[in-house]
Amino acid sequence: VASIVCGGLPLASRLSSSKIACSSRGGFDDLDSFGDLDSSEWQNGIVKNLVSFGAFVEVTLEDGAKAQGLVHVSQIRDGFVDNVYDELEVGQDVQVRVMSVDHGKRQMSLSMKEGGGGAPRRGPSDVSPFENVASDQWLTGKVARIASFGAFVTVTAPDSDAEADGLVHITQIRDGYVENVADELEV
């Protein structure tokens, strides 16, 4: 088990966003310079560490102030990010927006997405047109998105224009073992 030391203070070997507040100067960052930034303004950053739930980025302001914050996996780009390590690498220069600063927890939340943080959320689909569809009835659909665990498919209800999205789990794509969904289906 490795321990990480920053500014003479040991950090837990298991990193969490509340524990990342170290600066290149040694010691803890002063987040005051970041608290009043407009979340629509882009800032320069360098990826310092990657974890399964996102990337820790050191942000440098024009006045030279620096602090590290977390770009959560959901804020790396629009769409589903299956693997952070496929999207970013340590040392990479990135553009980020400071979404929030929590001085009490010493956390800064960042986003790499355009606009206000992603695509608008759709409300729940009305699935009532599908209520009388027999479980053994086949429906034609269009693959909307592929994930490691299956495919999201948009189907139309019989005798209706009503649409809904559903998951076809990897175990239901075909008989036998499916190693990679993308080898079986395409968007």
Side-chain angles (χ1 to χ4, degrees):
V1 173
S3 66
I4 298 171
V5 176
C6 181
L9 300 172
L11 296 178
S13 60
R14 206 179 144 93
L15 300 176
S16 74
S17 58
S18 63
K19 302 255 191 266
I20 301 297
C22 292
S23 73
S24 58
R25 298 180 303 272
F28 289 98
D29 292 326
D30 180 8
L31 294 175
D32 291 340
S33 301
F34 295 84
D36 294 326
L37 292 176
D38 185 338
S39 64
S40 67
E41 294 178 6
W42 292 97
Q43 308 297 332
N44 296 320
I46 298 174
V47 177
K48 291 297 187 178
N49 192 23
L50 298 174
V51 289
S52 61
F53 54 86
F56 290 99
V57 174
E58 182 179 73
V59 181
T60 304
L61 301 180
E62 288 181 8
D63 68 1
K66 293 182 180 183
Q68 281 193 24
L70 173 66
V71 178
H72 188 267
V73 65
S74 66
Q75 294 297 311
I76 291 174
R77 66 171 170 83
D78 288 330
F80 180 75
V81 173
D82 188 40
N83 186 344
V84 174
Y85 301 92
D86 292 341
E87 302 291 327
L88 299 167
E89 57 188 50
V90 173
Q92 180 178 346
D93 289 327
V94 294
Q95 292 289 302
V96 297
R97 294 180 298 117
V98 177
M99 304 308 289
S100 67
V101 175
D102 184 330
H103 294 282
K105 292 183 180 179
R106 306 196 52 74
Q107 294 177 338
M108 182 166 59
S109 298
L110 307 172
S111 177
M112 293 173 59
K113 287 183 172 184
E114 294 284 341
R121 299 239 183 236
R122 292 190 306 182
S125 297
D126 177 15
V127 293
S128 60
F130 295 88
E131 288 176 350
N132 295 322
V133 176
S135 63
D136 62 349
Q137 181 177 351
W138 288 91
L139 299 175
T140 303
K142 181 178 178 184
V143 177
R145 184 168 61 89
I146 292 176
S148 60
F149 50 84
F152 292 91
V153 178
T154 302
V155 293
T156 304
D159 305 320
S160 172
D161 290 335
E163 290 185 335
D165 292 336
L167 171 67
V168 178
H169 191 265
I170 191 170
T171 60
Q172 301 298 312
I173 291 174
R174 69 169 171 86
D175 289 333
Y177 178 73
V178 173
E179 184 171 338
N180 186 343
V181 176
D183 291 343
E184 303 293 328
L185 303 170
E186 61 184 36
V187 178

